[in-house]
């Protein structure tokens, strides 16, 4: 189903635009127009007054269902819902729900769909957000499903890049760290195929980008795969650092071998372009030294702030969906 919206164009005239999605599950579902539509909507919402915003989701209820820990995704979704005038129900861990008594995931989702207008879900298993969207008659937003996808993070990453680098097209971007289990890099690498990005995958051999993702990206973009970080720092416009995710390793000895593979310091940035920006979806452990926070390269806390307008835009768009 396509839903139609009216957006102001650069000449201040109203232009009809279609958004093609009823749920936000995977960045693979997005056309380039859908991505640009969300970013434009977020920029519009960011300019609104608190009172204007507070009417957009008045009388709506957002279910915030976090089966896995989160700071940024949950709290920025809940802040966004609050600022749009919605009410929030939900939980921040599975252990306080009837899943603990053996209730199936599908039954949980069908039940909550009777209480809320929009569902936000994070879950440790790949594919759960898609399953939720299939069984729910309400729009579902994926706040991260295991190592698979994190599409709302990608949209806020793109919003941040547009704002602080100044463009989305023709970027050179280095993805560093856990590219195997990193859902944020899976989603962002795919999204950037719409924008002709040259992509550098910098990881230990055991944490390489999954082949099905790198093969698809290579059909549209130049890709370099390497274990060396410092050699490529002077090349890139954006360095996207990630945490080595201890919780995703089936073998903790394997984690111990790679946990400190990359630590970005001011010294390692000495040959970076002056305009190069360092991003990180956070949380970080020790892959970016705190000293980097004070440099002009660091935009990872601005990146967390972008979660608000982008998630406000997504909630507002999906509040108009009829499934
Ligand atoms: N970036 C991100 O998903 O952070 P949280 O795990 O804190 O939500």
């Amino acid at each position: 189903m396509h839903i139609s919206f009216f957006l102001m164009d650069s000449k201040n005239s109203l232009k009809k635009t279609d958004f093609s999605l009823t749920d936000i599950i995977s960045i693979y579902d997005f056309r380039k127009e859908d991505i640009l539509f969300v970013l434009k909507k977020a920029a519009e919402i960011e300019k609104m007054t608190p009172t204007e915003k507070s009417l957009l989701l008045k009388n709506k209820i957002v279910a915030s269902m976090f089966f896995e820990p989160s700071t940024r995704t949950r709290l920025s979704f809940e802040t966004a819902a609050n600022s749009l005038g919605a009410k929030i129900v939900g939980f921040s861990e599975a252990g306080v729900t009837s899943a603990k008594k053996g209730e199936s995931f599908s039954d949980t989702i069908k039940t909550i769909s009777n209480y809320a207008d929009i569902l936000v879900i994070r879950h440790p298993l790949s594919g759960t957000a898609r399953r939720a969207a299939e069984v729910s008659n309400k729009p579902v937003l994926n706040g991260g499903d295991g190592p698979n996808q994190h599409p709302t993070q990608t949209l806020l990453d793109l919003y941040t890049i547009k704002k602080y680098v100044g463009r989305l097209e023709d970027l050179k971007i280095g993805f560093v760290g856990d590219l195997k289990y990193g859902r944020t890099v899976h989603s962002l690498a795919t999204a950037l195929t719409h924008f002709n990005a040259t992509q550098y995958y910098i990881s230990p051999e055991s944490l390489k980008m999954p082949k099905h993702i790198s093969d698809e990206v290579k059909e549209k973009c130049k890709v370099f795969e390497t274990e060396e970080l410092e050699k490529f720092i002077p090349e890139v416009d954006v360095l996207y650092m990630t945490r080595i995710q201890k919780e995703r390793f089936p073998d903790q000895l394997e984690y111990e071998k790679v946990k400190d593979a990359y630590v970005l310091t001011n010294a390692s940035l000495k040959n970076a372009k002056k305009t190069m920006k360092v991003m990180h979806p956070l949380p970080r452990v020790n892959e970016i030294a705190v000293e980097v926070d004070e440099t002009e390269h660091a935009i990872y806390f601005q990146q967390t702030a972008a979660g608000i307008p982008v998630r406000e835009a997504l909630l507002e768009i999906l509040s108009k969906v009829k499934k």
Side-chain angles (χ1 to χ4, degrees), residues 70-73 122 150 153 281-282:
S70 167
T71 297
R72 280 145 289 273
T73 310
R122 168 172 287 190
H150 198 345
Q153 175 74 40
L282 303 180

Side-chain angles (χ1 to χ4, degrees), residues 15 38 48 50 63 68 80 90 95 126 146 149 158 167 178 207 227 242 288 294 306:
K15 187 166 171 275
V38 174
M48 292 170 85
E68 190 186 61
S126 298
Q149 284 274 314
L158 294 172
R167 66 181 201 283
D178 182 355
L207 293 178
E227 292 189 37
T242 63
I288 304 180
E294 304 307 319

